[in-house]
Amino acid sequence: MRVLRPVFSCLVLGAMAWTGWWYAVAIGQRKALEAWFDERARAGWQSEHGEIELSGFPFRLERRVPEIRLTDPEAGWAWAAPVLTIASGPVNPTEFDVDWPARQSFAVPGERVAIKSDTMRARLAVRPESALGLVEASAEAAGLDLTAHSGWSASAAAAEARVRARAKDAGYDLALRAERVTMPQPLMARIDPLGVAGRELDRLV
């Protein structure tokens, strides 16, 4: 038993240290998110969200941001979602997994689009610096459906996008892919006025 006591003490101290580290990172990440929203508001945006919730202890760090509304009046777009979930590992907080809700909306002057999806998620890696330069980002969606207030619609069974920083210069490589895509009718009328191709495309790369 005496031999086990030091081992048990080390385990307890390790657990306490890990708990302290997790909560320190979690609180820091929540403050960083709140600061980002505050900065947008000071820049003249509509920048609203509910109380940021933290979960995932002990091996994940999840930030759940409810009731998001962002509007950039200068660029002229607005985005709203009931919730956004951002997850990362506590030992590598510069890599994020982002999950979007099944329903959200995006608007530009004169148009609003309702966005529905079975799944929509992204993975983001940034450099550990104050500017948080992008290293790599990928996003994928399944069962994607877009319905505009003006009447047009579009959909895709699956869609994927990847952006990766190039090592040789300051540029980025971009890759896009989509399957079973239904294009908006006004757009297809311009691309294919005779209606030969139809609205559904098997694949876009």
Side-chain angles (χ1 to χ4, degrees):
M1 294 297 296
R2 291 182 179 179
V3 176
L4 294 178
R5 285 179 181 175
V7 176
F8 181 75
S9 298
C10 289
L11 290 175
V12 171
L13 290 174
M16 293 175 62
W18 181 259
T19 300
W21 169 258
W22 188 94
Y23 277 101
V25 173
I27 292 172
Q29 290 288 326
R30 180 167 63 186
K31 288 182 177 179
L33 266 177
E34 291 172 342
W36 186 88
F37 279 99
D38 290 342
E39 288 174 4
R40 302 287 78 72
R42 286 193 294 269
W45 290 33
Q46 178 191 14
S47 178
E48 301 176 2
H49 65 88
E51 184 177 355
I52 298 174
E53 303 170 3
L54 302 174
S55 63
F57 180 83
F59 300 118
R60 293 284 285 172
L61 172 56
E62 294 186 1
R63 283 81 80 197
R64 186 178 183 273
V65 190
E67 303 300 330
I68 300 176
R69 287 181 174 83
L70 288 175
T71 301
D72 183 350
E74 183 175 347
W77 60 262
W79 172 65
V83 67
L84 187 72
T85 302
I86 305 170
S88 61
V91 296
N92 195 0
T94 59
E95 294 185 3
F96 306 94
D97 294 318
V98 183
D99 283 288
W100 278 269
R103 295 175 180 269
Q104 52 191 306
S105 67
F106 186 81
V108 294
E111 187 64 280
R112 177 177 294 274
V113 180
I115 304 171
K116 295 191 296 183
S117 61
D118 294 335
T119 59
M120 184 182 291
R121 60 176 58 95
R123 183 166 182 80
L124 178 68
V126 297
R127 296 184 180 90
E129 56 194 32
S130 59
L132 296 178
L134 179 66
V135 176
E136 184 176 2
S138 63
E140 60 182 28
L144 183 63
D145 184 82
L146 310 178
T147 303
H149 183 72
S150 62
W152 63 262
S153 63
S155 64
E160 184 178 338
R162 295 183 183 277
V163 180
R164 179 178 295 177
R166 292 197 294 261
K168 58 184 179 181
D169 55 39
Y172 292 89
D173 293 322
L174 174 64
L176 300 171
R177 179 181 178 182
E179 298 179 357
R180 293 171 54 194
V181 179
T182 301
M183 303 291 286
Q185 182 62 38
L187 177 61
M188 287 304 297
R190 293 184 178 184
I191 297 174
D192 181 24
L194 298 179
V196 176
R199 287 187 61 196
E200 185 171 310
L201 305 177
D202 289 337
R203 180 173 295 181
L204 290 177
V205 179

